[in-house]
Amino acid sequence: MTSENLEKVREVVDSMNTPISVLLSHKGAVVYSVAGRDTVAEAVREMSFRNIGSVVVLENGLLTGLLTERDVLTRVVAAGRQPDLTCVADVMTRHPVVVSPRATVEEVMNLFTEKRCRQIPVLDEDTGRLVGLVSIGDATRWVVELHRNEANQLRQYIAGSFAG
């Protein structure tokens, strides 16, 4: 194996150390939000329309919470609250787990497991402003693509046609 080919294989293996900002740039940084004063019914309609499992809660451009499907099930439905009369701020997850854009894919995957969450807001370290939202699905797709690329490069190497 030439040193150039070895370096290409190392790049693939090291992709788990990729900053989450790179993943966000590939998936897009569109994040859907609601205000804390919105009703749960309005937020759920937005989530359903967008086919997403959570919305961030913003006030004056700053993250104040996260409303997830789990929040709706446990804090609204199971509690017998009326979604059209319940404010998002009353049932959202306050102080959700957050990461900086410099967090790695591996670190974020570990957080999903340790904290038992499915979405993590990404906040700019200097301004505290939301720059994106990464889901467990986003990270899983990234890892699957990483492994697919690694397998293809290894197949090419074994076949003697590794171009890098």
Side-chain angles (χ1 to χ4, degrees), residues 24-81:
L24 287 176
S25 70
H26 281 86
K27 87 161 215 163
V30 174
V31 179
Y32 299 101
S33 66
V34 296
R37 67 186 172 282
D38 291 343
T39 67
V40 171
E42 292 168 326
V44 167
R45 278 193 290 278
E46 179 72 7
M47 290 164 60
S48 179
F49 178 74
R50 303 287 181 189
N51 195 28
I52 54 177
S54 69
V55 286
V56 295
V57 184
L58 299 177
E59 297 298 333
N60 300 319
L62 295 176
L63 180 73
T64 59
L66 185 67
L67 182 71
T68 68
E69 294 166 324
R70 184 181 298 161
D71 294 330
V72 173
L73 285 173
T74 60
R75 297 179 184 155
V76 179
V77 176
R81 291 177 140 179

Side-chain angles (χ1 to χ4, degrees), residues 100-131:
S100 85
R102 292 188 305 171
T104 66
V105 172
E106 183 175 16
E107 290 168 338
V108 170
M109 292 291 284
N110 287 335
L111 283 172
F112 285 133
T113 302
E114 291 169 14
K115 302 296 184 180
R116 296 177 41 90
C117 57
R118 299 180 55 81
Q119 300 90 9
I120 299 177
V122 182
L123 301 182
D124 181 275
E125 299 160 307
D126 298 325
T127 65
R129 297 253 180 217
L130 184 72
V131 296

